[in-house]
Amino acid sequence: ALARRNDRAALPAIVAATEHKDPTVRLDAIEALGVLPGSRETASLLARFAAGNDSAEAKLARQSLMRLNGPDVSAAILTGAERGDPATRAVFLEQLALRGMSEGLPTILKCRSETNPVVRAAAVAAFGELAPASEQKAVLDWTIQAAASVLGQM
């Protein structure tokens, strides 16, 4: 109910509710974060939940992050795709593709040499979504390289 008013003053209460012991309250709070005006901090919080182990929270956090709007949200997504723990970076790389943020292509391409397979896989998926048709050969080459790398680590 607080989020429907689109009032930033409700943000501290909603953020606090994301840590509530009742999972229903947590899920409602995570969903509400996607409705309020977004910020760098909100994007980071939602990405943390999206990268977490609770599948219901992760799914809802991804949806909320996709809906999140605000002046610093795109910048937070770009920065998050470059730095941070691998699971959170993967979430932000996914968001680059979901939001059609072609300005993230240089960041995605840097991930070709990434040592973490989770980040590399998220980057190749994002590249496949964002790359122009002229880059489809590069997408296929990278996909084959990524698959071979993952198989080689098994």
Side-chain angles (χ1 to χ4, degrees):
L2 288 173
R4 279 185 253 138
R5 294 189 324 205
N6 205 21
D7 183 1
R8 287 188 65 87
L11 189 60
I14 293 172
V15 168
T18 66
E19 301 297 331
H20 198 277
K21 66 180 180 176
D22 182 342
T24 304
V25 173
R26 281 196 313 272
L27 290 173
D28 286 347
I30 291 169
E31 184 176 21
L33 287 173
V35 178
L36 291 171
S39 67
R40 189 174 287 276
E41 294 78 18
T42 307
S44 295
L45 178 62
L46 285 170
R48 191 187 85 214
F49 279 108
N53 294 327
D54 185 304
S55 62
E57 287 180 0
K59 181 180 177 183
L60 203 51
R62 277 185 162 79
Q63 293 169 352
S64 289
L65 187 54
M66 180 60 202
R67 285 192 311 270
L68 193 66
N69 285 308
D72 293 334
V73 173
S74 291
I77 291 170
L78 283 167
T79 301
E82 293 175 0
R83 298 190 282 275
D85 68 273
T88 304
R89 286 182 66 199
V91 168
F92 283 125
L93 286 162
E94 175 187 60
Q95 286 296 314
L96 290 174
L98 290 172
R99 291 169 172 261
M101 293 177 63
S102 59
E103 64 268 33
L105 280 170
T107 297
I108 292 168
L109 288 171
K110 285 181 194 171
C111 292
R112 275 185 163 167
S113 60
E114 178 63 45
T115 58
N116 186 283
V118 171
V119 173
R120 249 191 350 264
V124 75
F127 188 62
E129 291 294 319
L130 287 176
S134 63
E135 293 292 326
Q136 290 309 307
K137 182 181 180 329
V139 172
L140 291 172
D141 290 346
W142 193 6
T143 303
I144 291 167
Q145 176 190 13
S149 175
V150 169
L151 291 174
Q153 293 180 1
M154 294 182 142

